[in-house]
Amino acid sequence: MQTTTTISLKRLAIVLTHPIQYYSPVFKSLSKNCDLKVFYTLGKPVCDLKYDHGFKKNVVWDIPLLDGYSCVFEENISKQPGDHHFSGVKNNTLIEDITDFNPDVLLIYGWAYHSHLKAIRHFKGKVPIWFRGDSTLIDNRSFIKKTVRKIFLYWVYKHIDIVFYPGSASKRYFKACGLKESQLIFAPHAIDNERFSTDMHLDTIEIRRNFSIKEEEILILFAGKLEPKKNPFLLLRVFKELHRSDVHLLFVGNGILEDALKEQSVDFKDRIHFMDFQNQSKMPAIYQSADLYCLPSKGPGETWGLAVNEAMASGKSVIVSDKVGAAEDLVQKQNGLIFKSEKPEELLEKLNSLLEKRKLKEMGLSSKSIIKNWTIEKQVSIITESLNAE
């Protein structure tokens, strides 16, 4: 008589504040390889409100964020709920609910919330604790040397068994916080490359036509929150100094700097354009309508910059500041340039060296080739392999 052996899947609990468009596809794919449950700690009322402090407006994503995996929204009892401060996430039942799930591994996204840090401390020694974060030392390379902060970060990361780091700059940060090489596993920051690389030619024609941008003219794109750390004013200033009538600039997004940017663009209204926040389904066509993507961030707090992934998957050349975490790994000579943050003369020089239609197209093809190695599938495969090894 033959007997069949049932292989039970490993149980993975994930703790994250709220559904995020970049992570939901990861969870959906992971759920095919393990018994997965995601615990959203910000609370359903706050998540349903979907107010984004960066965009200064309610944001409702038009792609599914909860499909294909199991999740639960924890009750958030914070008096000032929000993911922008430590006390904004307080859950009475998170530890109990994770315990009931009985995971083989607990994966935490971000420790700087009351309940996240509490869960890390509680489960240390009970189950392996994994961590996903993209902090870097880019903003201030000496901050880690400051005694109090250094001691605190050492203490936090002593509770972590494995860190999945997204790129080179983050790896240096985690090493500076006391983690050993054997605890660090590369799992690339990734977006849905296929969705952004799907040809949207007819839509791109319409976008350019709406702004009276001719096919032979060059369009520089900034897409993101119009906030100080992204430094859109630097790009605006440099654009005004280009003295190129065949080059346009498009800002896509909203934020605290929006009105001031528009006010300072009135004399260039034929070549400087603005679009409100655009949802995920619209973004591939917007990237593809441009010739060059620019992210001029100055920080503090610019960690990776997943818009760079999106632009590259859309087949665009990129120019970014050295405050962008993705710069070191994704921006190479064949697909873009890196300039020193808050150095307008350097950005101007490098922009002038790029602004030729054929050159930008060739660099865009290189971007597409480079980003093929930065995929959700690779991230999922690495996490799955680590889980099966436990």
Side-chain angles (χ1 to χ4, degrees):
M1 180 178 178
Q2 287 186 330
T3 59
T4 57
T5 302
T6 301
I7 301 174
S8 60
L9 295 174
K10 291 287 184 73
R11 299 169 74 84
L12 175 62
I14 292 179
V15 174
L16 179 65
T17 52
H18 62 288
I20 295 174
Q21 72 272 26
Y22 300 119
Y23 297 154
S24 292
V26 174
F27 301 158
K28 182 177 180 180
S29 186
L30 268 175
S31 67
K32 298 173 184 177
N33 304 325
C34 66
D35 187 355
L36 174 73
K37 191 166 188 176
V38 180
F39 297 83
Y40 288 120
T41 56
L42 196 54
K44 199 165 192 315
V46 181
C47 291
D48 286 345
L49 182 63
K50 297 180 177 68
Y51 182 78
D52 190 292
H53 288 269
F55 284 121
K56 298 296 180 184
K57 64 187 298 181
N58 290 340
V59 172
V60 181
W61 299 111
D62 63 358
I63 59 174
L65 299 185
L66 301 176
D67 291 356
Y69 65 96
S70 176
C71 67
V72 62
F73 288 87
E74 294 289 323
E75 182 183 5
N76 186 4
I77 61 170
S78 171
K79 292 181 180 179
Q80 293 182 305
D83 62 345
H84 57 293
H85 64 117
F86 180 81
S87 299
V89 176
K90 289 186 177 181
N91 316 109
N92 271 342
T93 61
L94 176 63
I95 288 174
E96 180 183 344
D97 291 343
I98 294 172
T99 301
D100 288 343
F101 180 62
N102 192 27
D104 294 293
V105 172
L106 174 61
L107 173 56
I108 306 276
Y109 281 69
W111 61 262
Y113 304 103
H114 179 274
S115 286
H116 291 211
L117 190 56
K118 187 177 179 181
I120 289 171
R121 293 178 64 190
H122 176 84
F123 287 103
K124 175 62 177 174
K126 297 180 176 70
V127 296
I129 298 178
W130 295 354
F131 185 80
R132 177 71 165 172
D134 55 9
S135 295
T136 73
L137 300 175
I138 292 174
D139 285 333
N140 183 350
R141 297 181 186 276
S142 65
F143 91 96
I144 198 68
K145 297 178 182 177
K146 294 179 180 177
T147 305
V148 174
R149 183 168 180 83
K150 184 174 182 178
I151 291 172
F152 177 70
L153 288 172
Y154 263 70
W155 174 80
V156 170
Y157 289 111
K158 277 183 70 174
H159 294 79
I160 305 298
D161 297 298
I162 287 177
V163 168
F164 294 100
Y165 69 91
S168 302
S170 288
K171 184 178 184 179
R172 285 193 295 275
Y173 166 84
F174 289 119
K175 279 194 167 184
C177 291
L179 288 155
K180 300 173 183 177
E181 181 75 31
S182 59
Q183 294 177 275
L184 301 175
I185 300 175
F186 172 63
H189 248 333
I191 52 102
D192 187 345
N193 286 351
E194 183 178 352
R195 185 162 65 83
F196 281 88
S197 63
T198 300
D199 186 9
M200 307 288 287
H201 183 63
L202 294 179
D203 293 308
T204 66
I205 291 174
E206 184 65 23
I207 290 168
R208 292 177 73 100
R209 183 183 293 134
N210 287 341
F211 293 115
S212 300
I213 303 171
K214 298 174 183 176
E215 184 178 354
E216 66 273 14
E217 292 180 322
I218 292 171
L219 175 59
I220 301 170
L221 172 66
F222 172 97
K225 296 171 182 176
L226 301 178
E227 58 184 357
K229 77 174 182 181
K230 301 286 186 182
N231 208 11
F233 271 114
L234 179 71
L235 177 57
L236 177 63
R237 172 183 169 181
V238 169
F239 179 83
K240 290 179 177 181
E241 297 175 9
L242 278 175
H243 304 299
R244 289 276 300 267
S245 60
D246 62 333
V247 180
H248 293 249
L249 173 60
L250 173 60
F251 289 103
V252 178
N254 299 98
I256 193 171
L257 301 180
E258 181 179 352
D259 291 341
L261 284 164
K262 288 179 177 178
E263 195 175 298
Q264 293 190 27
S265 302
V266 290
D267 293 336
F268 291 79
K269 60 183 180 181
D270 293 336
R271 292 193 295 117
I272 300 178
H273 317 286
F274 290 86
M275 290 179 72
D276 285 336
F277 163 85
Q278 298 295 302
N279 225 309
Q280 282 290 293
S281 65
K282 303 288 187 182
M283 288 308 300
I286 290 170
Y287 282 112
Q288 290 179 36
S289 70
D291 299 285
L292 172 66
Y293 177 73
C294 180
L295 185 57
S297 302
K298 66 178 180 180
E302 181 64 279
T303 50
W304 181 262
L306 279 161
V308 178
N309 294 60
E310 293 174 343
M312 289 175 62
S314 302
K316 299 300 144 183
S317 54
V318 292
I319 183 166
V320 305
S321 82
D322 58 359
K323 295 290 187 181
V324 176
E328 180 178 352
D329 296 295
L330 296 186
V331 184
Q332 303 170 17
K333 286 184 179 180
Q334 66 265 35
N335 79 307
L337 293 173
I338 302 168
F339 69 95
K340 290 181 181 177
S341 173
E342 299 190 82
K343 294 288 184 181
E345 65 281 359
E346 186 172 332
L347 176 56
L348 179 60
E349 177 188 348
K350 292 192 173 184
L351 270 178
N352 274 318
S353 73
L354 291 177
L355 296 180
E356 194 272 309
K357 197 81 173 179
R358 177 193 277 183
K359 184 176 186 178
L360 290 172
K361 187 172 184 179
E362 290 174 353
M363 295 176 79
L365 292 174
S366 294
S367 280
K368 215 165 190 177
S369 177
I370 293 167
I371 208 66
K372 282 181 180 178
N373 295 316
W374 295 72
T375 65
I376 288 172
E377 292 75 21
K378 187 171 182 179
Q379 186 184 137
V380 168
S381 174
I382 290 166
I383 296 173
T384 301
E385 287 174 13
S386 299
L387 183 61
N388 290 335
E390 283 290 340

